[in-house]
Amino acid sequence: MESGQDIRALRDLLAWQVELGATEAIGDAPVNRYALAAGEAAPGSAAARTEAAPPAERTREDDPVAVAKDLAEGARDLAALRAAIAAFEHCDLKRGARNLVFCDGNPAARVMIVGEAPGRDEDREGKPFVGRAGRLLDRMLAEIGLSRAAEAPEHAVYITNVLPWRPPQNRDPKPDEIAMLLPFVKRHVALVDPAVVVLMGNISCQAALGRRGITRLRGHWTEGYGRPALPMFHPAYLLRNPAAKREAWADMLELKARLEEGP
Ligand code: URA
């Protein structure tokens, strides 16, 4: 086939997929099929898994969690931590994402919010909680006098996520992804050193507490990342279940009361 015809055929195939309702690529990492030798299986495909040779002996360099710990512990400030995450090559989510989503808000804040993972809007903008859920979060914070734009630490918030890269189609993070990214989150909290941490939703609780079950956990102070932590419903959940806003409001008041108590 000539290359012009080739491109037209590919375009028609793509148009056909869009007509069928496809809106996004679903692999965790893009595959360059032109680069695959004839007959070679795509990475991650069932064929590739059956063909794979037995693994060679593993070193520390091959262990994503160990590599993440070394990189995270070596980061002396937030800029270095951001660079360390950007240099971390063991997580396939990085290859499917447009941007690294590191943080927003004021690092001097007394409150640090740890969300789950960037969605489509956050991936586009490279900032956490900028979509619909983020706008609801901003309104909830404003009700108790907090804002990510505030300069005064007592009115400020600092926001990050367990995952710095968007999972394909917003799927839940896999346990191995959480495990390899957790050293970065721990270091992030240690560097910001907030008075309290808010754990937004189940994935955030899973990462910090090793437990899910947000309906039972929410509203009860616990310890996460070595400091007082308050699990709360995720604002995306509140958008789907407006009746739960009542509990979320109670949790916001709980947070406000704790901050008023002082350090
Ligand atoms: N949900 C999250 O948990 N984090 C974001 O940044 C956006 C949506």
Side-chain angles (χ1 to χ4, degrees), residues 55-73:
E57 207 176 306
R58 283 169 68 88
T59 67
R60 189 168 173 83
E61 285 305 297
D62 300 321
D63 176 356
V65 178
V67 173
K69 275 188 185 156
D70 290 347
L71 281 169
E73 278 160 23

Side-chain angles (χ1 to χ4, degrees), residues 65-250:
V65 178
V67 173
K69 275 188 185 156
D70 290 347
L71 281 169
E73 278 160 23
R76 295 282 143 246
D77 56 26
L78 291 172
L81 182 65
R82 187 194 180 104
I85 298 172
F88 183 65
E89 295 297 342
H90 287 71
C91 183
D92 275 347
L93 296 177
K94 176 181 180 179
R95 282 171 270 287
R98 292 185 196 196
N99 280 302
L100 166 67
V101 176
F102 183 64
C103 73
D104 197 18
N106 182 347
R110 297 183 64 227
V111 183
M112 178 163 178
I113 296 174
V114 182
E116 299 186 343
R120 190 190 51 185
D121 298 319
E122 291 76 20
D123 182 44
R124 278 203 188 127
E125 289 195 31
K127 271 192 199 175
F129 284 102
V130 292
R132 262 185 89 212
R135 288 194 290 280
L136 174 58
L137 175 63
D138 285 341
R139 288 200 298 277
M140 289 161 60
L141 292 169
E143 293 286 343
I144 57 164
L146 297 177
S147 153
R148 54 176 119 186
E151 279 184 17
E154 61 274 24
H155 296 301
V157 287
Y158 183 83
I159 308 181
T160 191
N161 282 313
V162 174
L163 264 61
W165 295 293
R166 182 194 183 194
Q169 303 211 311
N170 300 341
R171 66 154 169 76
D172 274 358
K174 298 175 187 165
D176 66 317
E177 290 164 346
I178 296 182
M180 72 174 82
L181 295 165
L182 193 54
F184 296 115
V185 186
K186 287 183 176 167
R187 186 76 186 133
H188 207 156
V189 177
L191 287 170
V192 173
D193 193 21
V196 300
V197 177
V198 172
L199 306 172
M200 278 294 178
N202 262 324
I203 303 297
S204 189
C205 290
Q206 177 70 49
L209 313 174
R211 276 182 295 156
R212 299 172 78 116
I214 191 66
T215 308
R216 246 177 294 150
L217 291 170
R218 62 141 282 274
H220 301 287
W221 286 98
T222 179
E223 196 188 289
Y225 304 111
R227 58 205 73 220
L230 186 61
M232 280 193 196
F233 282 138
H234 194 286
Y237 174 80
L238 298 176
L239 288 171
R240 294 191 303 272
N241 300 279
K245 284 183 183 167
R246 190 189 172 94
E247 281 102 335
W249 177 235

Side-chain angles (χ1 to χ4, degrees), residues 1-23:
M1 200 187 285
E2 271 176 32
S3 68
Q5 274 178 304
D6 215 3
I7 288 170
R8 274 196 297 281
L10 286 172
R11 199 189 48 207
D12 289 348
L13 271 174
L14 186 61
W16 178 66
Q17 290 183 18
V18 171
E19 212 170 292
L20 289 178
T23 54

